[in-house]
Amino acid sequence: MPSSSPLPTFAADRRLAALGQRIHAHRKALKVSATTAAEAAGMSRMTLHRIERGEPSVTMGAYMNALGALGLDVDVITPTAQPLPERLPGGIRIADYAQLRRIAWQLSPSTELTPEEAWGTYERNWRHVDTSALDANERKLLDDLARTLGRKSMNV
């Protein structure tokens, strides 16, 4: 069974949504139907709609085909005037949890994860977690995440 894709960061989600909105707006400005644009890009109309919604599960190649079919290029997509935050405020700070810090070693300890990102990090790397080293605070975090996200507890 193939592994699931990693959850995108809040900022990546926002950038994909903005890209999708720009693609949609440009298609509408050209007065091109979704069916015609999708056919020109070599994809289904549903895939084009998913791109226009900024869904992260659509391949980068499909995004590039949609851009090309509408005469756009990644280089002409201007950055947003306001920088987007990397994380939502009130996130789960990696430095506060020893095992999370251990399995998210590639991130700065001051990085804050959303509940979904934290759960995904634990879930993908559970085999590397030393369950005997989990303190009460981190066990509570795992229980809270499972309950909040409607997931099965990791039995710690």
Side-chain angles (χ1 to χ4, degrees):
M1 182 159 120
S3 63
S4 60
S5 299
L7 294 172
T9 64
F10 176 71
D13 257 350
R14 294 285 306 262
R15 286 191 294 266
L16 278 174
L19 175 60
Q21 289 169 357
R22 289 182 185 134
I23 291 170
H24 177 79
H26 190 71
R27 178 177 64 78
K28 288 295 198 177
L30 293 174
K31 297 182 179 169
V32 174
S33 73
T35 302
T36 302
E39 286 174 1
M43 64 183 67
S44 71
R45 186 179 48 81
M46 279 309 302
T47 301
L48 180 64
H49 283 302
R50 289 174 56 217
I51 288 170
E52 290 180 349
R53 286 193 306 259
E55 290 186 16
S57 61
V58 179
T59 67
M60 215 39 220
Y63 273 90
M64 298 304 289
N65 286 350
L67 288 167
L70 296 170
L72 295 172
D73 193 17
V74 175
D75 295 357
V76 298
I77 297 170
T78 57
T80 56
Q82 182 87 4
L84 298 170
E86 275 302 310
R87 301 283 179 245
L88 290 169
I92 299 162
R93 203 166 70 106
I94 292 174
D96 295 342
Y97 304 96
Q99 292 302 306
L100 181 58
R101 189 170 53 247
R102 180 177 177 203
I103 60 176
W105 55 268
Q106 75 281 17
L107 301 173
S108 166
S110 63
T111 300
E112 291 186 0
L113 302 174
T114 65
E116 292 84 1
E117 291 170 328
W119 182 264
T121 301
Y122 278 114
E123 197 171 49
R124 282 189 309 277
N125 298 289
W126 189 248
R127 66 189 177 281
H128 302 293
V129 172
D130 181 358
T131 55
S132 64
L134 286 168
D135 63 16
N137 193 34
E138 197 160 6
R139 287 178 190 274
K140 182 179 180 332
L141 170 69
L142 286 165
D143 288 340
D144 290 347
L145 288 172
R147 187 176 54 257
T148 302
L149 299 173
R151 305 286 169 75
K152 185 179 174 189
S153 175
M154 291 192 192
N155 297 320
V156 290

